[in-house]
Amino acid sequence: QVQLVESGGGLVQPGGSLKLSCAASGRLSASSTLGWYRQVPGRQHQRELVARITWGGDTNYTDSVKGRFTISRDNAKNTVDLQMNSLKPEDTATYICYLYDYPRKYWGPGTQVTVSS
């Protein structure tokens, strides 16, 4: 059973930066995808895919974070990071790490990111 643990959330002013990290226990396959969703307070049933990265390093980003966020992974350490720059108030959300390793999808508990002055 894979477990995901996030770290790095917090409060930051608009224009600031944060780096989120997620560590996955267990063994990941070469077909696995790691990534981050976010969930806005009050919208419990709506999760937005923020970014994802394959084992080989192919990445995808939602349009609203392109040019500001960078996702990376370390396959030897089973970790995925999300570097978030030029943060905006609308980036405020719970950020949730996920792993897709066929045929299962795993979720972390989430870490809160608040962008406010």
Side-chain angles (χ1 to χ4, degrees):
Q1 181 74 13
V2 175
Q3 290 187 325
L4 303 173
V5 178
E6 302 107 333
S7 61
L11 173 64
V12 63
Q13 292 187 341
S17 298
L18 277 177
K19 184 177 182 179
L20 305 182
S21 297
C22 176
S25 65
R27 187 174 180 179
L28 306 186
S29 77
S31 61
S32 63
T33 297
L34 285 164
W36 295 88
Y37 277 77
R38 63 187 178 187
Q39 187 164 292
V40 176
R43 301 180 185 176
Q44 297 299 320
H45 302 294
Q46 296 181 14
R47 288 183 177 179
E48 176 188 33
L49 177 60
V50 177
R52 61 186 174 189
I53 184 167
T54 67
W55 179 275
D58 293 329
T59 59
N60 295 99
Y61 298 90
T62 191
D63 285 346
S64 63
V65 308
K66 287 179 180 177
R68 300 189 297 123
F69 291 11
T70 302
I71 190 169
S72 60
R73 71 185 281 175
D74 186 328
N75 292 331
K77 297 180 179 179
N78 285 353
T79 58
V80 59
D81 293 335
L82 185 67
Q83 177 66 46
M84 305 185 294
N85 299 328
S86 303
L87 282 161
K88 305 175 181 180
E90 52 263 42
D91 294 318
T92 295
T94 299
Y95 285 70
I96 304 163
C97 176
Y98 86 96
L99 161 68
Y100 176 69
D101 204 350
Y102 180 86
R104 297 196 63 180
K105 199 166 189 176
Y106 304 88
W107 301 93
T111 185
Q112 180 65 34
V113 171
T114 302
V115 185
S116 174
S117 56

